Amino acid sequence: MWSFETDPDFQEKLDWMATFIGDEIEPLDYLFPKDETYNVNNSALMSILAPLKDRVREAGLWACHLPPSLGGGGWGQLKLALMNELLGRSFFAPTVVGTAAPDTGNAEILAHFGNQAQKDEFLKPLLDGDIVSCFSMTEPQGGADPKVFTCQATRSGSEWVLNGEKWFASNARWSEFLIVMAVTDPEVTIYRGASMFLIPTKTPGVEFVRNSGMAFEEAAHGAHAYLRFNDVRLSDNDLLGNAGDAFKIAQTRLGGGRVHHAMRTVGLAKRAFEAICERVQSRTTQGDVLGRKQMVQAEVADLWMEIEQFRLLVLQTAWKIDKFNDYKVVRQDIAAAKVLSERVMVSAASKAIHLHGALGISNEMPFGEWLLWGYALGLADGPSEVHQVTVAKEALGSSASIEELFPSGHIPSGARAMRKKYAKELGLPGHRRGWVT
Ligand SMILES: Cc1cc2nc3c(=O)[nH]c(=O)nc-3n(C[C@H](O)[C@H](O)[C@H](O)COP(=O)(O)OP(=O)(O)OC[C@H]3O[C@@H](n4cnc5c(N)ncnc54)[C@H](O)[C@@H]3O)c2cc1C
């Protein structure tokens, strides 16, 4: 059964969300830089966000990614995709609705792998949006290849002692706790020799070397921490899951995290598209609006097609996750959506810059920031190339090799086989004709 329709009841919720985001949340961009979203110390922002969060709760849409057992609506991924499409229009919206990364994935980790004491202390405030958390895996000497990770926790009696560095740990500066991947058994492959620790951020020995920001951001707003661990003393109770489980745990959050980024990217790309449409219908040059120039129309058409193709892939991926309930089965689709997130966002932001002229490239419009965000989507949770490899491996894995010299579909070989099969009908018994021989 194929259907591209939304239930009327659910459409009402989407309509409420669209109006709420458009009227109340998108305009917050005029007041605060995007990384302030997570700044729990910004009392002005927090006092603006609190009543907005209450309205989301009253509408029954708080933490819409979660099952009811964890306080969400249990909508499933397809409906979440439609909601995330709206939430992606604003960097503040996921926080207001309780779906902000990396807290969403970290809550999933805590729910699945945390012990009771960890859950009691951190899970509820995290789900309620009262605290912020950080997931820290990347190291300064390499992010895309965990085999070069050196941050290590060694045994000392009943304790673990953590030493090493982590890099680009988003929101660490505002976080209540860090989820840190560390080598615990250097004798085996990192995929079995790394463990995940939950470390309260204020633990003695956790040092902030500095907070890096994205290009364009003022240094004070840098949200991505360079962390150093100096003899941080931990116990077995600080482990998430068992020693050696780090990659199993990381995968729990990364599959979902990547597709949720893709869902939100549909929304931000659409926002760029809407800005383009408004501008090219309003701006006149050489006696006509830009939108009547065919080369401009080609750009508009291409972007519309790129976004629609991407959106359909994302929605289908979400539908498959609901259907199969197993991220491994949908690995190829998620990897493809991850790669396209970067491409579509970069394309949408670039066209928005270009078609707005000098205004587009200026700091009076948000497109430069969106362009950089597009490139960030090609890095966060792993670079695009790594995910392209996943797409290719899955595709090649389902395609068999052949023994013959010429490939399937080789015209002379196919013609020869068909002539043999239909020799009688073709009146060719015993005949050898032309190049088929
Ligand atoms: C906005 C943002 C937020 C982030 N937040 C976090 C966070 O909260 N926690 C965290 O742990 N990390 C975080 N990261 C880090 C992110 O996971 C890494 O940037 C990513 O894994 C790439 O690692 P790297 O930056 O060290 O690049 P490198 O590993 O040095 O790779 C550099 C480039 O080399 C190429 N490349 C790499 N591997 C391959 C390959 N196998 N084949 C072909 N080409 C390849 C790609 O072009 C890649 O971009 C964040 C990154 C960004 C941009």
Side-chain angles (χ1 to χ4, degrees):
M1 167 87 103
W2 290 87
S3 168
F4 293 91
E5 288 171 340
T6 310
D7 297 340
D9 285 355
F10 186 63
Q11 187 59 52
E12 269 181 32
K13 296 198 180 306
L14 291 177
D15 292 344
W16 181 87
M17 211 179 220
T19 307
F20 178 69
I21 290 169
D23 292 351
E24 304 289 349
I25 308 187
E26 282 179 33
L28 291 175
D29 290 352
Y30 301 126
L31 276 182
F32 302 102
K34 78 173 169 50
D35 277 317
E36 282 295 287
T37 316
Y38 297 92
N39 185 355
V40 285
N41 304 323
N42 184 334
S43 52
L45 174 63
M46 291 303 127
S47 69
I48 292 171
L49 294 188
L52 295 175
K53 289 181 181 180
D54 288 343
R55 285 177 61 187
V56 173
R57 287 192 181 94
E58 280 160 25
L61 292 169
W62 177 257
C64 47
H65 62 295
L66 288 174
S69 58
L70 292 173
W75 303 101
Q77 297 298 316
L78 183 54
K79 285 183 172 159
L80 180 62
L82 295 166
M83 291 193 266
N84 264 335
E85 201 173 304
L86 299 170
L87 298 175
R89 296 176 62 88
S90 155
F91 289 105
F92 287 89
T95 299
V96 175
V97 175
T99 62
D103 297 327
T104 45
N106 291 347
E108 257 184 274
I109 289 181
L110 258 177
H112 283 107
F113 301 100
N115 57 39
Q116 201 51 51
Q118 289 167 328
K119 284 186 197 174
D120 290 347
E121 189 171 354
F122 297 111
L123 186 56
K124 186 164 180 326
L126 189 62
L127 292 174
D128 288 346
D130 294 335
I131 60 170
V132 165
S133 64
C134 166
F135 181 82
S136 183
M137 178 169 165
T138 304
E139 300 191 6
Q141 71 278 11
D145 178 11
K147 295 190 288 303
V148 303
F149 289 177
T150 56
C151 183
Q152 189 172 342
T154 46
R155 271 286 183 198
S156 168
S158 63
E159 287 185 322
W160 295 97
V161 182
L162 179 67
N163 280 289
E165 293 184 339
K166 291 285 171 184
W167 167 246
F168 242 73
S170 301
N171 310 329
R173 64 186 294 187
W174 298 303
S175 70
E176 204 67 20
F177 67 88
L178 315 165
I179 292 181
V180 177
M181 179 184 284
V183 177
T184 43
D185 184 354
E187 301 304 317
V188 299
T189 158
I190 179 116
Y191 297 104
R192 283 187 287 114
S195 306
M196 214 66 106
F197 291 92
L198 186 156
I199 306 175
T201 311
K202 293 200 175 89
T203 304
V206 175
E207 178 192 349
F208 279 72
V209 179
R210 61 175 177 271
N211 288 300
S212 300
M214 307 247 290
F216 303 140
E217 274 172 0
E218 288 171 36
H221 289 294
H224 309 285
Y226 182 2
L227 297 172
R228 184 170 296 142
F229 301 104
N230 307 296
D231 287 332
V232 176
R233 306 196 88 81
L234 304 165
S235 77
D236 281 339
N237 293 333
D238 298 314
L239 278 170
L240 287 158
N242 296 315
D245 275 355
F247 278 85
K248 189 170 100 186
I249 295 172
Q251 285 313 320
T252 312
R253 73 180 280 286
L254 287 173
R258 286 172 186 138
V259 78
H260 296 164
H261 266 316
M263 294 168 180
R264 287 188 289 264
T265 302
V266 173
L268 194 59
K270 276 181 152 186
R271 198 172 156 195
F273 183 75
E274 288 164 19
I276 289 171
C277 291
E278 182 194 89
R279 182 68 173 175
V280 302
Q281 300 210 75
S282 315
R283 180 80 165 176
T284 303
T285 190
Q286 312 248 8
D288 212 348
V289 289
L290 288 172
R292 288 210 197 95
K293 314 273 177 208
Q294 287 187 338
M295 278 190 265
V296 170
Q297 289 175 351
E299 295 226 34
V300 170
D302 285 350
L303 183 57
W304 186 87
M305 291 186 278
E306 282 169 50
I307 295 173
E308 282 301 300
Q309 290 177 54
F310 174 52
R311 180 173 190 252
L312 287 173
L313 174 74
V314 171
L315 290 173
Q316 184 183 259
T317 304
W319 176 83
K320 283 189 186 178
I321 298 172
D322 285 339
K323 186 167 173 62
F324 300 116
N325 197 21
D326 179 357
Y327 282 117
K328 277 191 231 113
V329 178
V330 196
R331 178 190 285 154
Q332 186 180 28
D333 308 71
I334 294 178
K338 163 85 171 76
V339 174
L340 288 175
S341 299
E342 177 190 14
R343 288 191 195 161
V344 172
M345 197 59 235
V346 166
S347 171
S350 306
K351 286 188 166 74
I353 289 175
H354 183 67
L355 290 168
H356 281 73
L359 180 65
I361 210 159
S362 74
N363 60 3
E364 297 187 6
M365 296 304 286
F367 307 133
E369 196 175 42
W370 294 0
L371 178 63
L372 197 70
W373 179 244
Y375 285 113
L377 287 166
L379 287 170
D381 298 339
S384 294
E385 290 91 332
V386 173
H387 296 283
Q388 282 174 282
V389 169
T390 302
V391 175
K393 275 189 180 160
E394 293 286 324
L396 294 173
S398 58
S399 155
S401 64
I402 56 164
E403 297 295 325
E404 286 76 20
L405 178 60
F406 292 106
S408 307
H410 179 236
I411 293 170
S413 311
R416 191 167 54 236
M418 289 303 281
R419 281 166 187 248
K420 197 170 164 198
K421 182 171 177 182
Y422 292 114
K424 189 169 153 215
E425 290 82 348
L426 293 170
L428 297 173
H431 285 70
R432 293 176 162 228
R433 289 203 171 186
W435 44 262
V436 176
T437 57

